[in-house]
Amino acid sequence: MATDADVKGLTLDAARSDGCLAAVPPVTLVLNETISLVASMRKQSRWTSSSVAAILGSAVEVSLNTDESLAGRWGLRAQRANQNDNPLLIGFTRLRQDLIGLRDFHEYDTTKLLSPFLEVVKSSHTSGAVTSLALNSISKFFSYRLIHKGSLRLADAMKQLSSAITHCRFEASDSGQDEIVLLRILLLMQEMMLGCGGHMLGDESICEMMETGLSMCCQMRLSEMLRRSAEMVMQKMLQVVFLRLRELDPADDPVESSAGDAPLSTPAPTPLTSPRHGPISPAETSARTSIADSSAAAQEPVSPYGIMSIRELLRVLITILDPDNRQHTDSMRLMAFRLIEVAFEVGGEAIARHKSLRTQTCDEMCRHLFRLVRSENPLVLRGSLRVISTLIQTVRVHLKLQQELFLNYIVACLAPTEEAGENGGNGIDAATASAIPNLPRIKQLNSGRSTPVPVKERQRLGLEGSARGGDDREAMVECMGTLLRIPTYMVELFVNYDCDENLGDLCQDVIGFLCRNAFPDAANWSTTNVPPLCLDALLAYIAFMHARISLPETTSQPVAGLPEPEVLLKSKARKETIMRACAKFNEDPKQGLQFLLDNGLVDPSNETKSLASFLFSSTRINKKLLGDYISKPKHLPLLQAFVKLFDFHDKRIDEALRMLLQKFRLPGEAQQIERIVEQFASIYFATGPQAIRSSDAAFVLSYAVIMLNTDQHNPQAKKSKMTVTDFAKNLRGTNDGEDFDLVYLQQIYDEIKGNEIIMPEEHDTSASFDYAWRGLLAKVEATGTLMTCDTNKYDGAMFEATWRPLVATLTFVFASATDDAVFSRVMAGLHQCAEIAAGYNNTEAIDRIVASLARLTPLAADQLPGIGRNTSVEVDSQRVTVSDLSVAFGRDFKAQLATVLLFRICQGNLHVLRQGWRHLSDIFAALLVNSLLPQDFSPIHRYMKISSIPLPPSNKSSKAIRRNQESSFFTSLSSYLSSYASDEPPQPSDEEIESTMGTFDCVASCQLDVLRDQMLSMTAEQAEATINALLAPSKDLESPAKTVVAQYLASAEFTDSNGESAKVYDPSELLKLEIATALCVKDEASVTRFSSRLIARLAPFIQDAPSQHFLVTERIVVYLLRILLAMLKAETCEADSAAIRLLSEMDAKALKQCAVPVSYGLLDCLQVERGRKLIGSFHQTYDLLRKLSENTDAKALVFEHASLLATTLHKDNFSWLIRMFDAFAAEAAIGAGIDDLTAKPKATPPAKGQRNSPQVQQQQEEAEEAELRLRKEAVVRGCRSLELLYQMRLELQEMAQAADASTTLYWQSLLNAIKTHCLSTSKPVKLDAFKYLQRLVLSFDLSVETGPMAEVIFEETVIDLVESLQQLSPGPESGRRPKILEESKVQACSLLAKAWLHHLIDLQRASPEEFAAHWHRVLLTLAHLANAAPPSSSQDNRTQQYLVEAATESLKNVLLVMFSSSILLPGQPLYADTQKSLREEANARIDLDLLFNDYGPRSPATEKSQTDAVKSADGIVAGDKSI
């Protein structure tokens, strides 16, 4: 046997190696606790006379009943035990005896270790102090890990311990000491549940411990601190218990594993009872068997606790909530609320998996909670709301109909006491008020829907909202805010309710009434916290939607069974139709039926059955109206079809009748009731009920049941109620001549008496609520569970249904807010709404957002401030325009925020805007007319060089200003007065400048350049709506920008550059057209899509050019031509003559004013090859060019147009080009006398006796230089025109080869045009004309049919030219110098001779008569020139002599060639005619015979002369230019 020294030899290290946390060895620790406890017990009077053996402990034998006793060892008779030895002390003595011989403490039986301590705890004879010490010792054993999971018989020990502490009895003395004992019991229970043996406790132990904890929580005689401590311990234990629930298999739930309602097969634990409320008896003696006596039973294995104890615990907590149990106080219910909340927070999903727990939750708990939510006690209300919120967060999948009932109540409670915008008293405008609901949607549609709890009953039970106080509303809003913070909550409401034909629009109602209560005036009927709470909930809803935009439509773990959005939208649309149909039917059944037929809800081919099916399935038809409608004589087939829809098989007649009367209310007329009962009896009897023998018997019994129900439950009926005997007596002999079975009648009687057949909506009793609740539960299975929607595939449809009140609320709050935090949150919310709308292509929503924000800024106001006081000042080396608008806008911080937000919303979402472009254009126009729009904003500058949109000039201040410069009052006054003295506008004040600079900073923050770039990056499809909005004509007659411009121009008497009175123009319209033009020309697809529409929009401006401002006309034609250029460059776009036709038909005066920009634009178009072909084919082109050429500054550009068009010659433009080049060459006449184009003008000397000043001299020289430059340019264009006319021969030859008809007229026109300018007074033009005419004439081949005929070349061209020259006379009047004129004649004579010789062979192919005629005409012309009369002056004589010699020589050469060709031979008629003509015309200067003798074929000189003539002709043909 070990000694004390041996016990003390257990070191700390040894104890710690075994897991003990105490520094004292375990045996020593236990012995110390026993000694301390026994010492405390001896001090009490009950144990003062204890025996010496009890005190000595190990020195004497403790048990005298064992064989090892002292008497037994010595063979003596044992003495009777001392009655003063208390069994409690003996237990400690035995423990000490066992520990003294113990080597390994962890091998000691745990039950033996705890046995003496537990006996003390259970004893009713111990004081509170002793019991407290015992409990403290046990707690030490657990906390120091003397008892751990490896301890022997731990499960049995835990069972005994739980039994002991739950049956603890002690003598009450001091209340404080007693509560300490109870507190230690609580802490020990917590230690047991959380410690090593908690999982070994059985169902019975758990139930007892929970009962003990609940008793302490509910004992009102205990202190508040103890009760709260008990509640805290209960919460800890509940956490452990419901965490354990996660590990349990739902298949082990007795409700699920057993079939139907069969009794449980396993023994049930000791049931929990309601908590005790009486005081703890100080002298109560435990009647339970002691631990020692129950040791045998403890040997049985203990099963860990499971579903049965958890179910029992939940049942008791639910029972405490029962509002009909008056024993349960509100404080107890508050405690139960907190415990239930913990239970569902920990085990919510696990609870839902177990059918028994789920049934308790969905039925009893929800029923009690929905009745407690009407409580007037704010604590009960908040507690019930919090529990309901927790239930919805954890098990809402199984609370579909219950959640609908709860949310309908919340929505009803949040209904405002005054409508939005009513009488204008709440500051809500009509547009905003129209988007905010004042009634739930179901009431707005007047659908007559019957909810599980009727309106009147819901008011009485607090489920209709009625009049709730402000604090109650705040609590409900907090509850809703909690729910809306569930990311998928609103999506689930929309999918499960709003898109379900038989359920309410919860999503829309919740959002709508949160929006209404977010308005500041909601504080009038609630509290000041309600509006921000509602706003916060709405912003959370928006944020969750916004966060899901970028997610894929299905999550990584998609929920099976989710419908497609299209299916849901169809269902929702059908629901809307059904609701309207029900509303119409409730108002007028005839109109309602027609509406059903028109919308396909009733099949016309089977109208009766289809209508009956609709009325049977719809819950929105007024039941009173329905009963009256189907019971009319003309609707008898409908009544029959309606009743046949019920399944009455295996139903007692009262049960079947109850089913029938749930669908409609019996009408008041007896005949109508009779028809209904008759049809019911007939159809019910057809199901074959055994107790009823005929349909007549069923009819009588049905009537009797209705009368019995009235007799038993009508408060106005007689006091003596019908008995079952009376009921049977009344039905005697009615069952086809026999009596009904008494047992059958007894069952009917009992059921009717105990359960009234009622219409819940017509009663206001608790029974009606229970009846309606049972109806709700009956629908649960058919309704199914709630679908969870962790996806964004429904967000688009949900946002479409809810965005209107959201946007209206956010914009109104933004407009009325004064706090920066509110501004920040609301701006973020609006931005997110816009991105959601853009993400789901909701154009109407984003337009509404833009319009709402635009209304908050003065930039889009209907009336802008005037611009007459606009003053341009220099601020920090920057020119700034200070205007009334810039000053007012700079002072309005809220307007600046709205503007920045508006443009941030537009950035990236421009393709979604529709009507929003109207507001953007108004803002752009306001910025434009006040010089606030950046110069590089217009996107048109990327595609063409054009100046900014012109504005009326601003006043200018000559003084430079430094920003933030300090100035005194006198300085400002002096500046003000001096400005008037110097006729300057008043200089802006420092504050106005600062405000203006703030406006400029705001405009910079709007990032308009980013907006511009995004506009240009849109595809053609995306820009469709933008173009439509920009091109749409304004509904207003005058835009704000046009109005202010008109006012300024009228007041300033502004005149344009032409000196005319100013015409009003609209800068905003120009800006819209400019942006539209840029969007149109940016790519090929856009040009193809928009060009025709844009040209049609520009057409009225051009057609009405005389009434337009010249600046507007100028820009419009530039836009038009830029569009035309883009059309020509786009191969997929078919360009027509619309643009050219508009320009050619334009007013002549207006066209002349803008001739230069038109010419430049047209030049760009013609530089495109496709443009030259298309534009050159339009006859309007040449009419336009002719009108443009009337402007001197545009002549050079028009010439370039013609030059480009000449490259694409065809029969349609040939004559036009000929005339154009002819006109340009004719204009060169102003350059007469300019022989050298490089010569500089000579200064005109001043008049005699007059001396010009240097300035006048310089101006005179500049004017002369300008005049000379114009003359030279005209000469150059004339020469270039002749060159182009000559080059046209190549195109004409190709055209002649491709054409079927003769081209003689074309050649004739070309030759005549060049021939005409051989008579030009401009020497360079004349020389070029002769050069190109000679080349052209000598280049023809008369043998081909495509060329000109001989008559054209000789008669109409060359000979005509010679004759025209002969008719000219030199002199100052004609502008021709004699020498130059004679040279021209010589050139013409030479050209004629060369042309004849060149085409001589081809001419011979003609008939002799034709040849003779041509020869005779040429001969006479040359002979006439050779016989010219001599002039009067000697100088002229020399010139004339030169002409005669040249003509004579040309004629000789011609004759020689004809001699050599044997064309002219003596004896031939042609020879004789030639000789005759020479004698007549040449005045005998040339004798043909003599010439023939000298140079004829027989003459020696013939060969040489022929050779020289041929060489001369060949040189001309080869292009000899030495004319």
Side-chain angles (χ1 to χ4, degrees), residues 19 102 106 279 286 321 381 407 469 496 524 568 637 711 724 789 816 1046 1085 1183 1188 1212 1292 1320 1347 1414 1505 1507:
L102 185 64
H106 298 286
S286 175
L321 299 180
L381 173 62
L407 291 179
N496 290 277
N524 298 335
L568 279 183
D711 177 79
V724 66
C789 307
S816 58
D1183 186 35
L1188 293 176
D1212 294 330
L1292 186 57
S1320 176
H1414 292 318
S1505 62
T1507 302

Side-chain angles (χ1 to χ4, degrees), residues 62-80:
V62 176
S63 179
L64 300 180
N65 297 324
T66 61
D67 294 338
E68 298 299 326
S69 64
L70 179 61
R73 287 201 303 270
W74 295 96
L76 301 178
R77 179 178 296 180
Q79 298 179 357
R80 179 173 295 181

Side-chain angles (χ1 to χ4, degrees), residues 159 167 202-211 267-273 288 308-309 312-313 315-316:
K159 180 179 180 180
H167 296 81
D203 287 320
E204 182 178 0
S205 300
I206 292 295
C207 289
E208 291 176 343
M209 294 170 64
M210 291 299 175
E211 179 183 0
T270 302
L272 276 165
T273 60
R288 294 177 174 81
M308 289 186 292
S309 58
E312 189 68 15
L313 171 60
R315 183 191 66 80
V316 172

Side-chain angles (χ1 to χ4, degrees), residues 1455 1459 1471 1475 1478-1479 1482 1484-1494:
L1455 293 174
F1459 290 159
Y1471 185 89
Q1475 178 69 5
L1478 288 175
R1479 290 175 180 173
R1485 290 186 181 182
I1486 299 178
D1487 188 289
L1488 187 61
D1489 294 334
L1490 180 61
L1491 187 64
F1492 183 80
N1493 293 329
D1494 293 339

Side-chain angles (χ1 to χ4, degrees), residues 37-50:
L37 184 56
V38 170
S40 178
M41 293 173 62
R42 287 200 311 272
K43 294 179 181 180
Q44 298 186 10
S45 59
R46 187 181 297 275
W47 292 285
T48 54
S49 58
S50 299

Side-chain angles (χ1 to χ4, degrees), residues 1280-1292:
R1280 177 64 179 156
S1281 297
L1282 293 173
E1283 181 182 359
L1284 292 172
L1285 286 173
Y1286 174 70
Q1287 292 176 358
M1288 287 173 63
R1289 80 191 189 284
L1290 301 176
E1291 301 290 338
L1292 186 57

